[in-house]
Amino acid sequence: MTVASTPMNLTQPAHVGISVSDLDASIAFYSALTGRDPVARGTMDSVPFGGSQGLPTARLRYATINLDGLGIDLIEFQEPRGERTNGRANRPGSMHLCFKVDDFDEVYRRMKEAGHDFLGEDYTFLAGEVTPDEALGTKVAYFNDPDGTNLEIIQPKGGFAR
């Protein structure tokens, strides 16, 4: 695919859409994770909407949970049903959603106590491993939602604001 080098200036995030296999289970997971309930829930049954997504039709259930500055759209496609991607972080096309926290150690501890399975141990960026130096001391940990979507918590340090 060739993309023109003219800037499009797309700098205002609106939402991230996450395809899920069980909307009710995902609402429970993300509501517990964020402390927020859905602001919208509904259904859609549309050939034109499916076409806009490259699908023959789209029959789905959805819910939106709003964070500060970003919505999480949870979408359960009922027709056509999709297959789980079992995405790993290193697979092209995979993505992750990162949650910024103020007290990493406290949030990490509470999440472990609540039963979240992290993909590995928490990690702090060290000298010689990462640039810019402003990222040194940043803490991260990765985990998955019930469908295997990659999620992260981060406590940035210094001028490494993300």
Side-chain angles (χ1 to χ4, degrees), residues 20-72:
V20 302
S21 62
D22 180 335
L23 183 63
D24 299 321
S26 292
I27 288 171
F29 176 86
Y30 281 94
S31 290
L33 192 66
T34 64
R36 300 192 178 177
D37 292 323
V39 296
R41 289 173 90 145
T43 61
M44 182 178 281
D45 191 353
S46 171
V47 171
F49 179 73
S52 75
Q53 297 210 346
L55 301 169
T57 187
R59 190 167 61 85
L60 56 90
R61 297 172 57 218
Y62 69 90
T64 299
I65 295 175
N66 281 341
L67 305 179
D68 298 338
L70 183 72
I72 300 175

Side-chain angles (χ1 to χ4, degrees), residues 72-85:
I72 300 175
D73 287 354
L74 303 171
I75 307 162
E76 178 186 348
F77 283 88
Q78 296 176 308
E79 191 178 311
R81 276 280 308 160
E83 294 178 23
R84 186 174 165 157
T85 63

Side-chain angles (χ1 to χ4, degrees), residues 86-119:
N86 292 321
R88 294 187 62 134
N90 65 340
R91 293 186 180 170
S94 70
M95 55 79 68
H96 71 270
L97 175 60
C98 182
F99 297 92
K100 187 189 240 183
V101 299
D102 292 325
D103 186 340
F104 181 91
D105 295 329
E106 174 67 12
V107 172
Y108 184 75
R109 180 189 62 73
R110 286 185 19 238
M111 289 180 70
K112 286 189 95 159
E113 287 174 357
H116 288 275
D117 291 325
F118 287 90
L119 300 177

Side-chain angles (χ1 to χ4, degrees), residues 1-20:
M1 166 168 64
T2 304
V3 177
S5 61
T6 304
M8 298 295 135
N9 299 318
L10 303 178
T11 61
Q12 298 281 325
H15 68 268
V16 59
I18 301 175
S19 182
V20 302

